[in-house]
Amino acid sequence: FVYKAAQMIKILNVNNFTLKLYKARNKDELLSSLGKVFTTESYKTFKEVLIAIAEGKTYFEAEAVNKTLQGEPIDIFISITIPSEDAGFKNLLVSIFDITRLKKIEDALKESEEKFKITFDLAPVGIAHTSMEGKWLLANKNLCEIVGYTEDELRSLTFKDITHPDDLKKDLYALQQMLAGKTRTYFTEKRYIHKNGSIIYISLSVFLVKDPPGNPRYFIALIEDI
C-alpha cells in the first residue's frame, strides 16, 4: 500500500538546491529518475508521513537516506507542512536539508574523541558547541575565521552577542522549540556581526545533544559563510 501511495505522488517543482543535492543537470532529468533517488528507507519514511496525515498532524520531520542520480548515498533531514483535510491534501511543501557532513562528524565523535577532534579542527565549515544559555564552549578554526574572533574571545561571548539584532528573535524562538522537545534541529540563514563590525551572511544548522536520560547537554552548530 505504501509503495502504491508513493506512486500517486507527483512532484510539481523543485528548486536549484534540490537539483544540486541530487546531482541532476535539470528538473526533467531529476523528475524522470526518482527511482534512483529513493531507497528502501525512503519508503519507511513515507509510511511515517502517511501515518502523520491520518493522525491529523500539520507538520512532519525526519532524517532519511536518499541517493544522488549517480548512486551516492546522502543523509537528509526533511520537513513537511501538511495541509488540513479541508484543503484536500492537494499540495505539500517539502523542505530538504543536506546533513551528510553532520552525520560524518557525528560518526567520528562516536568512533573516538581523537578522530572527532581532527574532524572538528579541519572541517570545511564552522563548527561550535554552545551551552543552553548560548555561551560558546568550543569553536573550530573555520568559525573563528568567519567571525574574526579567536576561540578564547568567543568563550567570553554568547551567540547573541554576534547575532544581528533583527535575526535574534527568530533564533531564540527556534531554540525554545528545541528545548521544549518540539523539534530536534534548526536550519536558517542569518547574519553575524564580524569583530570588525561588518555583516556576515551565514547558513546555520543547529542540533541539540542530550544525555542518555534525555536531558539537554549542549547545542552543535554548523556555520557556513554564504
Side-chain angles (χ1 to χ4, degrees):
F1 171 80
V2 172
Y3 179 78
K4 288 182 178 179
Q7 307 315 304
M8 297 170 64
I9 298 297
K10 180 181 179 182
I11 298 179
L12 301 178
N13 206 352
V14 297
N15 65 357
N16 288 331
F17 174 84
T18 306
L19 298 179
K20 182 179 178 181
L21 177 63
Y22 293 105
K23 296 187 177 180
R25 288 172 294 184
N26 51 59
K27 183 168 66 175
D28 290 338
E29 181 183 33
L30 178 60
L31 299 187
S32 64
S33 307
L34 293 178
K36 297 179 181 179
V37 168
F38 299 118
T39 64
T40 302
E41 185 179 330
S42 302
Y43 290 103
K44 293 179 181 178
T45 304
F46 183 65
K47 177 182 177 180
E48 295 175 7
V49 175
L50 295 177
I51 292 172
I53 292 174
E55 292 178 344
K57 294 181 178 178
T58 59
Y59 184 76
F60 175 83
E61 62 180 26
E63 293 183 11
V65 177
N66 283 174
K67 291 183 178 180
T68 66
L69 296 190
Q70 291 72 38
E72 303 162 341
I74 47 176
D75 294 287
I76 63 168
F77 179 88
I78 62 171
S79 66
I80 303 176
T81 302
I82 304 173
S84 66
E85 188 172 356
D86 294 338
F89 306 116
K90 291 181 180 179
N91 296 316
L92 297 175
L93 176 63
V94 181
S95 299
I96 304 173
F97 303 91
D98 184 0
I99 60 171
T100 304
R101 283 188 294 196
L102 176 69
K103 298 299 288 187
K104 289 180 179 179
I105 292 170
E106 288 179 339
D107 290 342
L109 176 59
K110 291 176 182 177
E111 187 172 346
S112 74
E113 286 294 331
E114 182 179 353
K115 288 186 177 180
F116 170 74
K117 188 176 187 307
I118 294 173
T119 305
F120 187 90
D121 290 339
L122 301 182
V125 295
I127 308 176
H129 290 182
T130 63
S131 70
M132 298 297 99
E133 297 75 29
K135 291 187 67 67
W136 301 95
L137 304 175
L138 291 175
N140 72 348
K141 180 179 178 182
N142 196 297
L143 174 58
C144 292
E145 290 176 352
I146 291 173
V147 298
Y149 292 92
T150 66
E151 186 175 16
D152 287 340
E153 288 174 331
L154 282 175
R155 284 190 178 127
S156 66
L157 303 171
T158 70
F159 78 89
K160 304 172 198 175
D161 295 323
I162 66 169
T163 294
H164 193 285
D166 292 344
D167 295 339
L168 190 54
K169 184 177 180 180
K170 177 177 62 175
D171 269 353
L172 295 177
Y173 175 78
L175 296 181
Q176 288 172 359
Q177 295 292 96
M178 293 173 70
L179 292 173
K182 295 182 179 179
T183 60
R184 292 180 54 206
T185 54
Y186 171 45
F187 303 88
T188 191
E189 292 181 2
K190 58 177 282 189
R191 290 163 291 180
Y192 276 156
I193 300 175
H194 192 279
K195 184 180 179 180
N196 64 16
S198 62
I199 301 299
I200 306 296
Y201 288 82
I202 62 143
S203 172
L204 173 69
S205 307
V206 181
F207 300 80
L208 178 61
V209 176
K210 298 182 178 180
D211 60 17
N215 301 310
R217 291 184 58 197
Y218 57 90
F219 295 101
I220 296 178
L222 269 64
I223 299 102
E224 188 167 8
D225 184 353
I226 58 172

